[in-house]
Amino acid sequence: MIKVVILGSGNVATHLTKAFVTSKKVEVSQVYTRSNISNKIEKIDYTNDLNNLKNADVYIISISDDAIANFSKQLNLKNKLVVHTSGSVAMQDLECNARKGIFYPLQTIHKKSKLKFKNVPICLETESEKDYILLEKLAKSISKKVFKIDSEQRKHLHLAAVFVNNFTNHLYKIGNDICNEKNVPFEILKPLIKETANKIKYITPEEAQTGPAKRKDHKTIQKHLSLLQNKQQEIYNLLSNSISNNELTK
Amino acid sequence: MIKVVILGSGNVATHLTKAFVTSKKVEVSQVYTRSNISNKIEKIDYTNDLNNLKNADVYIISISDDAIANFSKQLNLKNKLVVHTSGSVAMQDLECNARKGIFYPLQTIHKKSKLKFKNVPICLETESEKDYILLEKLAKSISKKVFKIDSEQRKHLHLAAVFVNNFTNHLYKIGNDICNEKNVPFEILKPLIKETANKIKYITPEEAQTGPAKRKDHKTIQKHLSLLQNKQQEIYNLLSNSISNNELTK
């Protein structure tokens, strides 16, 4: 049985806690939170006192990225394994005299979503091989997809995630705006959005590329530009050029 | 029984033909194609002679956008219902003395994909209400999602599709490139890509937006920019600004 203490009660912390609770190989010894949370998980010991942390094999800090370094300074967990769940914070930013590690679940986690953790990739990093084995065991207890990713790789992975998640979602928003303007139900685009994401399961994004910019169909591109407002026009231009240039450099 | 003649043998034409063949309410009387196609569909009459077209209720032109206008001039189908399947070509670009219409299936159609047509939205337009009823019957024989969309709306819909499909796919490609550079398996991002597309089923893209630009987390944005090359940097900047400005104008 791996004993864990979760430090935090945000989205990631809550989903992680719930996932661990269902695993037979893990015991959630405690959850630390400063907030008064209404939806407490049954049978879990909650504390708001950092001096009162229980003994555990792994301490998981799951709070906002900016707060991690300062928060870790307050911990008195000498020689314990302390990890955080952030994609963008380096392992060495944990400022405590503990063994350090990363337990980064790469997924967009929304309060409303019924996330199945077994499909969420978890990226691990530790200082020692021994700690890696422990963390891997913990990760595999809730997910089928566990990867060894160092801090340098994780920085780039997090950046790539911004492109495929945050920026992609913004393109959905622009699509939605364009539809709204002409009273076209956004609904019509949803199967296309789904299939676009689905396609790259069996071919690369490069192979999947279609559209006027790929075909260098300047007539359609000009027609499209004439329908757009300033900011949208700029985005259309830049992304079309990027697709076309990509074709040129092949 | 609705009799159709398909004019074309590209991806869309082939998927459409196959879908109609499985419908009990439709008879594919003929397929016109100039190419020598190897994978002919069984029991279908193929012709390469436009003067030899069979009698049908609907003639569906499914060829490349640029070729539609000129191709339609060659048709001698007076008073017949002639439609095309393009998102970006206006109904009036059909230059023949026939009854005109649009039968636009909005989906990214790849040769390798096993597309279920019943989930593909089909956008219809006709000159007369009577023809609309016929086209609607035809569309409903293969799809559950049939929409009345006029040429002005269709122009915008096609444009929105470029954002959510072509441009989104290009962002996947950039994500892939960033991963490759550091030997990170792109695999890790696929569940995130899937969930990003999935999320907007139950919340709007605006509600789904997360990330450094949304949070105005300038520290992370600067870190990310320092990791990127010129073109990628430009795209990161423009999309981040667009997300942030969107927050300001709320």
Side-chain angles (χ1 to χ4, degrees):
Chain A
M1 203 70 146
I2 306 174
K3 287 185 183 175
V4 298
V5 167
I6 311 276
L7 303 141
S9 60
N11 275 340
V12 178
T14 306
H15 274 99
L16 257 184
T17 307
K18 284 181 183 168
F20 285 138
V21 163
T22 63
S23 163
K24 285 174 189 162
K25 292 173 184 162
V26 182
E27 181 190 312
V28 180
S29 304
Q30 201 175 32
V31 169
Y32 163 84
T33 173
R34 281 183 313 184
S35 356
N36 278 320
I37 50 170
S38 48
N39 295 324
K40 285 190 176 173
I41 299 163
E42 247 183 275
K43 291 184 194 168
I44 283 191
D45 176 34
Y46 285 85
T47 181
N48 61 8
D49 182 359
L50 280 184
N51 294 315
N52 216 358
L53 294 185
K54 282 196 180 166
N55 191 34
D57 300 303
V58 188
Y59 294 80
I60 301 177
I61 302 175
S62 186
I63 60 178
S64 68
D65 294 7
D66 287 348
I68 292 174
N70 272 328
F71 178 79
S72 65
K73 283 183 199 164
Q74 304 169 49
L75 297 176
N76 186 11
L77 295 167
K78 202 173 171 185
N79 294 330
K80 295 288 184 182
L81 179 56
V82 175
V83 304
H84 72 66
T85 58
S86 162
S88 69
V89 177
M91 183 164 69
Q92 293 311 327
D93 287 356
L94 287 169
E95 296 184 38
C96 51
N97 54 2
R99 288 139 51 207
K100 295 165 190 171
I102 304 293
F103 191 96
Y104 170 43
L106 197 156
Q107 186 51 283
T108 171
I109 295 179
H110 191 268
K111 272 198 175 130
K112 284 186 193 171
S113 71
K114 285 173 196 156
L115 198 68
K116 281 182 187 156
F117 235 96
K118 74 175 196 298
N119 294 318
V120 174
I122 301 180
C123 304
L124 305 180
E125 183 181 6
T126 53
E127 292 173 311
S128 79
E129 186 55 28
K130 203 179 149 196
D131 283 342
Y132 188 83
I133 293 168
L134 174 60
L135 225 47
E136 193 183 34
K137 214 169 144 185
L138 182 65
K140 285 191 170 167
S141 78
I142 55 171
S143 167
K144 291 183 300 185
K145 294 171 182 174
V146 178
F147 296 87
K148 192 173 199 168
I149 295 290
D150 65 31
S151 283
E152 178 68 12
Q153 289 177 310
R154 189 159 39 83
K155 259 198 302 196
H156 286 80
L157 187 57
H158 184 254
L159 172 58
V162 167
F163 277 87
V164 303
N165 168 242
N166 303 156
F167 292 166
T168 288
N169 183 75
H170 187 57
L171 295 183
Y172 297 163
K173 190 205 168 266
I174 295 174
N176 196 355
D177 288 348
I178 293 170
C179 285
N180 283 347
E181 235 175 83
K182 295 287 164 181
N183 288 318
V184 175
F186 183 54
E187 209 58 33
I188 303 184
L189 288 173
K190 290 187 180 175
L192 178 66
I193 286 172
K194 193 179 162 187
E195 181 62 16
T196 305
N198 203 36
K199 235 178 176 181
I200 56 154
K201 273 192 201 162
Y202 47 94
I203 54 175
T204 67
E206 197 159 340
E207 290 166 333
Q209 190 65 55
T210 58
K214 158 90 181 183
R215 293 194 307 272
K216 300 203 176 41
D217 173 354
H218 299 293
K219 221 172 106 188
T220 303
I221 292 175
Q222 286 312 316
K223 265 200 240 173
H224 281 168
L225 286 172
S226 73
L227 301 174
L228 290 168
Q229 294 151 355
N230 281 352
K231 196 73 177 186
Q232 294 172 346
Q233 217 173 48
E234 244 182 286
I235 293 172
Y236 188 101
N237 247 328
L238 187 61
L239 290 173
S240 291
N241 285 337
S242 180
I243 292 171
S244 301
N245 286 336
N246 202 50
E247 287 303 296
L248 291 175
T249 56
K250 258 185 205 166
Chain B
M1 203 70 144
I2 306 173
K3 288 185 184 174
V4 298
V5 167
I6 311 278
L7 303 140
S9 60
N11 274 343
V12 177
T14 306
H15 274 99
L16 257 186
T17 308
K18 285 181 182 168
F20 284 138
V21 164
T22 62
S23 163
K24 285 174 188 162
K25 293 175 183 160
V26 182
E27 181 190 313
V28 179
S29 303
Q30 201 175 32
V31 170
Y32 163 83
T33 172
R34 282 183 312 182
S35 357
N36 278 319
I37 51 170
S38 48
N39 295 323
K40 285 191 175 172
I41 299 163
E42 248 182 275
K43 291 183 191 168
I44 284 190
D45 177 34
Y46 285 85
T47 181
N48 60 8
D49 182 359
L50 281 183
N51 293 315
N52 216 359
L53 294 185
K54 284 196 178 164
N55 191 35
D57 301 303
V58 188
Y59 295 80
I60 302 178
I61 303 176
S62 185
I63 60 178
S64 67
D65 294 7
D66 286 349
I68 292 172
N70 272 329
F71 179 80
S72 66
K73 284 182 198 164
Q74 304 169 48
L75 297 175
N76 187 11
L77 295 167
K78 201 174 171 185
N79 293 332
K80 295 289 184 181
L81 179 56
V82 175
V83 305
H84 72 67
T85 59
S86 161
S88 69
V89 177
M91 183 163 69
Q92 292 312 326
D93 287 355
L94 286 169
E95 296 185 38
C96 52
N97 54 1
R99 288 140 50 210
K100 295 166 190 170
I102 304 292
F103 192 95
Y104 170 43
L106 197 155
Q107 186 52 282
T108 172
I109 294 181
H110 192 269
K111 272 198 173 131
K112 285 189 192 170
S113 72
K114 286 174 195 156
L115 198 69
K116 283 184 184 151
F117 235 97
K118 73 175 199 297
N119 293 318
V120 175
I122 300 180
C123 304
L124 305 179
E125 183 181 6
T126 54
E127 292 173 313
S128 79
E129 186 56 27
K130 203 179 151 197
D131 284 341
Y132 187 83
I133 293 167
L134 174 60
L135 225 47
E136 193 183 33
K137 214 169 141 186
L138 182 65
K140 284 190 171 169
S141 79
I142 54 171
S143 166
K144 292 182 301 185
K145 295 172 183 174
V146 178
F147 296 87
K148 191 173 200 166
I149 294 292
D150 65 32
S151 282
E152 178 70 10
Q153 288 178 311
R154 190 161 36 84
K155 260 199 300 198
H156 286 80
L157 187 56
H158 183 254
L159 172 58
V162 168
F163 277 88
V164 304
N165 169 242
N166 303 158
F167 292 166
T168 287
N169 184 75
H170 187 58
L171 296 183
Y172 296 164
K173 189 202 168 269
I174 295 175
N176 197 355
D177 288 347
I178 293 170
C179 285
N180 284 347
E181 234 175 86
K182 295 286 165 183
N183 288 317
V184 175
F186 183 53
E187 209 57 33
I188 303 183
L189 288 172
K190 290 187 179 173
L192 177 66
I193 286 172
K194 193 179 164 189
E195 180 63 16
T196 305
N198 202 38
K199 234 177 177 181
I200 55 154
K201 274 191 200 160
Y202 47 95
I203 55 176
T204 68
E206 197 160 342
E207 290 167 331
Q209 190 65 54
T210 57
K214 159 89 180 185
R215 293 194 307 272
K216 300 200 177 46
D217 172 355
H218 298 293
K219 222 171 107 187
T220 302
I221 292 175
Q222 285 312 317
K223 268 201 241 175
H224 281 168
L225 286 172
S226 72
L227 301 175
L228 290 167
Q229 292 152 357
N230 281 352
K231 197 72 176 189
Q232 294 173 347
Q233 214 173 50
E234 244 183 287
I235 293 172
Y236 188 101
N237 246 328
L238 187 60
L239 290 173
S240 290
N241 284 338
S242 181
I243 293 171
S244 300
N245 286 337
N246 202 49
E247 287 301 299
L248 290 174
T249 55
K250 259 185 203 165

